[in-house]
């Protein structure tokens, strides 16, 4: 077991990791930028170290500051959370060079899955279905044209180093290929430092279904059912649930088989997620693998009764342990709404500032993961997630009723939030019926 874990992150996820460490009896070190000094993760950790200026490049993304903080505090492991350095193979190697355990997959796995076109190739050769498209990176738009001709329009041009919905362009016809290709390339270059692009068939209104995995060093890979993350705005998830209303036990078995096969083919260790697109015919295709704990992991924890972050930490100790079959089975239903400090009336414009008053909901089946408190100043420097509201029920109907009730109880004063937006989505007949796809929000918002 680790002597001390440093959490290389902030906000709700830093708090989440501290909670897991506390229950495992591991002392924790929080790090913070100067603007995060009064953040709850700093107060809840056993120790804390300032790692730099508000700009993430000078603090949460600055590897050497994090390694120095670990060395000064005597932490022997680093949990990266999500975002920031969580998917940086270079950072993993740097940790290893300093004798610090990175709580996550091996550097090779992160590098392989981080290159999305290579990840697709790897999965395809393991027998996992992938979206039809280019074999790897394409070098120019003429190649894009000929592949698009072959697979048929619409197609989607994607950044191989992509993430967070950036560097993606849907192309409907040949005459707009060149302009879209160049725009995607420019965005990919400025966001990821690499203009490598690949191309695939753009599926019409698919569902986004992902399988939660945990690989152990003994070679076992466990799957904890699926999550449906089809409620997205500009490719960013806003509501997630488990199980998916569109997944039958038979389909679940196939999804899990494909995900476990894919993860085993790269000897996957740690928590991770394989994302699929599911079409109306019930066919699914690998999209990407996230080699970290995800924002939406709590819905899976609620329906399986597990603590994925604890398991993720234990998986990195190298000790082998068994996970009971019952722990991977879904029971009941859970939904998560991301409460962002954004104004849904103003195109989801970020709304940083001081939270003047706060009432967090509670009662049966409600879980909140949040670093917010009354008097907390949301800095403008990072993402706008201030709370994850999770409702659990014995079935979807009960989970939805509880979510309704909890959103009504949730009061945030001083900043705008996505609470009213969630209330509206929850009243939509298609959402209530579970009849949604990744195009739902665009139509809903237009
Ligand atoms: P990122 O890593 O930037 O989040 P993903 O590859 O995970 O990018 O895609 C994000 C979202 O974009 C998906 O959840 C889906 O809504 C949409 N998308 C991506 N690829 C396709 C595709 N081939 N067809 C239809 N929609 C897609």
């Amino acid at each position: 077991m680790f002597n001390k874990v440093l959490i290389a992150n902030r906000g709700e996820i830093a708090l989440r990791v501290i909670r897991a460490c506390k229950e495992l009896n591991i002392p924790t070190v929080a790090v913070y930028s100067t603007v995060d000094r009064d953040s709850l993760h700093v107060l809840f950790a056993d120790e804390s170290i300032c790692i730099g200026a508000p700009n993430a490049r000078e603090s949460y993304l600055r590897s050497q500051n994090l390694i120095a903080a670990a060395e000064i505090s005597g932490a022997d492991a680093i949990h990266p959370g999500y975002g920031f350095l969580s998917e940086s193979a270079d950072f993993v190697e740097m940790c290893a060079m300093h004798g610090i355990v990175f709580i996550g997959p091996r550097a090779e796995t992160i590098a392989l899955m981080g290159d999305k076109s290579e990840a697709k190739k790897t999965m395809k050769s393991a027998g996992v279905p992938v979206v039809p498209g280019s074999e790897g990176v394409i070098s120019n738009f003429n190649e894009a044209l000929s592949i698009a001709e072959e697979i048929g329009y619409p197609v989607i041009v994607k950044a191989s180093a992509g993430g967070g919905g950036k560097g993606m362009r849907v192309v409907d016809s040949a005459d707009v290929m060149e302009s879209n290709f160049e725009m995607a390339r420019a965005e990919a270059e400025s966001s990821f430092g690499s203009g490598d692009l690949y191309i695939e068939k753009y599926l019409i209104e698919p569902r986004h279904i992902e399988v939660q995995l945990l690989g152990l060093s003994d070679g076992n890979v466990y799957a904890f059912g699926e999550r449906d993350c089809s409620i997205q705005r500009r490719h960013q998830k806003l509501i997630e649930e488990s199980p998916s209303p569109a997944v039958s036990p038979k389909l679940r078995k196939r999804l899990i088989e494909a995900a476990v096969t894919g993860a085993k083919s790269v000897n996957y260790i740690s928590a991770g997620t394989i994302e699929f697109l599911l079409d109306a015919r019930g066919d699914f295709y690998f999209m990407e693998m996230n080699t970290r704990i995800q924002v939406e992991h709590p819905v899976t924890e609620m329906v399986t009764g597990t603590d994925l972050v604890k398991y993720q930490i234990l998986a990195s100790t190298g000790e082998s342990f068994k996970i009971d079959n019952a722990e991977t089975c879904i029971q009941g239903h859970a939904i998560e709404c991301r409460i962002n400090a954004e104004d849904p009336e103003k195109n989801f414009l970020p709304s940083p500032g001081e939270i003047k008053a706060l009432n967090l909901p509670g009662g049966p089946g409600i879980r909140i993961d949040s670093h917010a408190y009354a008097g907390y100043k949301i800095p403008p420097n990072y993402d706008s997630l201030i709370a994850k509201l999770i409702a659990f029920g014995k079935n979807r109907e009960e989970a939805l009723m509880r979510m309704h009730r909890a959103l009504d109880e949730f009061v945030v004063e001083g900043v705008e939030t996505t609470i009213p937006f969630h209330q509206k989505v929850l009243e939509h007949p298609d959402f209530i019926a579970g009849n949604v796809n990744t195009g739902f929000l665009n139509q809903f918002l237009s």
Side-chain angles (χ1 to χ4, degrees), residues 3-218:
N3 293 322
K4 207 183 256 189
V5 170
L6 179 139
I7 298 105
N9 215 299
R10 64 180 298 283
E12 70 84 21
I13 193 63
L15 211 51
R16 173 69 190 90
V17 177
I18 291 170
R19 287 178 170 145
C21 289
K22 282 204 170 158
E23 291 181 25
L24 289 169
N25 228 350
I26 310 172
T28 51
V29 184
V31 295
Y32 59 96
S33 73
T34 47
V35 80
D36 272 342
R37 202 177 292 276
D38 299 324
S39 192
L40 271 197
H41 77 282
V42 178
L43 297 175
F44 280 29
D46 297 297
E47 291 170 52
S48 59
I49 298 185
C50 181
I51 48 161
N55 185 331
R57 271 187 299 252
E58 290 169 39
S59 48
Y60 299 105
L61 283 171
R62 186 164 282 191
S63 320
Q64 53 277 44
N65 292 17
L66 290 150
I67 299 283
E71 291 200 318
I72 290 164
S73 59
D76 52 352
I78 293 184
H79 194 299
Y82 52 69
F84 296 130
L85 294 168
S86 61
E87 287 170 292
S88 161
D90 289 346
F91 182 61
V92 180
E93 275 168 5
M94 207 181 205
C95 288
M97 261 159 27
H98 290 82
I100 298 163
V101 176
F102 174 86
I103 300 177
R106 288 168 292 118
E108 308 93 84
T109 317
I110 294 184
L112 178 62
M113 292 300 133
D115 184 334
K116 291 192 178 188
S117 58
E118 280 303 308
K120 247 183 104 172
K121 268 200 216 161
T122 308
M123 291 298 154
K124 194 176 172 191
S125 54
V128 179
V130 300
V131 188
S134 61
E135 292 280 336
V137 169
I138 40 174
S139 43
N140 56 49
F141 97 96
N142 279 323
E143 204 182 332
L145 273 180
S146 68
I147 292 162
E149 219 50 65
E150 212 179 292
I151 57 178
Y153 288 93
V155 297
I156 182 166
V157 178
K158 294 173 142 184
S160 201
K166 290 208 186 85
M168 291 199 298
R169 280 284 182 288
V170 179
V171 185
D172 290 323
S173 59
D175 51 320
V176 287
M177 177 63 90
E178 188 170 10
S179 55
N180 278 287
F181 190 83
E182 293 312 327
M183 270 192 289
R185 166 157 286 172
E187 196 171 303
E189 234 154 45
S190 70
S191 306
F192 315 112
S194 155
D196 284 352
L197 300 176
Y198 65 106
I199 184 170
E200 63 188 27
K201 177 101 188 135
Y202 186 67
L203 304 177
I204 303 302
E205 308 195 324
R207 278 185 179 254
H208 173 121
I209 307 284
E210 55 187 39
V211 176
Q212 174 68 54
L213 300 164
L214 181 82
L216 301 186
S217 50
D218 61 10

Side-chain angles (χ1 to χ4, degrees), residues 410-433:
F410 209 140
V411 180
V412 185
E413 280 176 17
V415 298
E416 299 300 328
T417 74
T418 48
I419 293 172
F421 158 83
H422 286 300
Q423 283 168 320
K424 277 191 218 140
V425 175
L426 256 74
E427 272 161 18
H428 195 287
D430 285 343
F431 182 76
I432 294 170

Side-chain angles (χ1 to χ4, degrees), residues 329-396:
C329 290
I330 295 178
Q331 271 199 27
H333 202 99
I335 304 177
E336 173 181 278
C337 288
R338 297 194 192 190
I339 313 298
N340 296 334
E342 291 170 358
D343 188 350
E345 295 292 312
K346 290 190 186 139
N347 212 8
F348 293 80
L349 185 75
S351 176
E354 183 176 337
I355 298 178
K356 302 270 190 222
L358 180 71
N359 182 64
L360 295 177
I366 297 300
R367 165 174 168 180
I368 303 254
D369 280 22
S370 172
H371 59 295
Y373 57 89
Y376 173 64
K377 287 195 188 75
I378 304 161
N381 315 75
Y382 313 106
D383 70 25
S384 49
L385 182 68
I386 52 165
K388 303 190 304 205
L389 171 59
I390 304 111
F392 174 79
K394 59 181 180 294
N395 50 38
R396 190 168 186 268

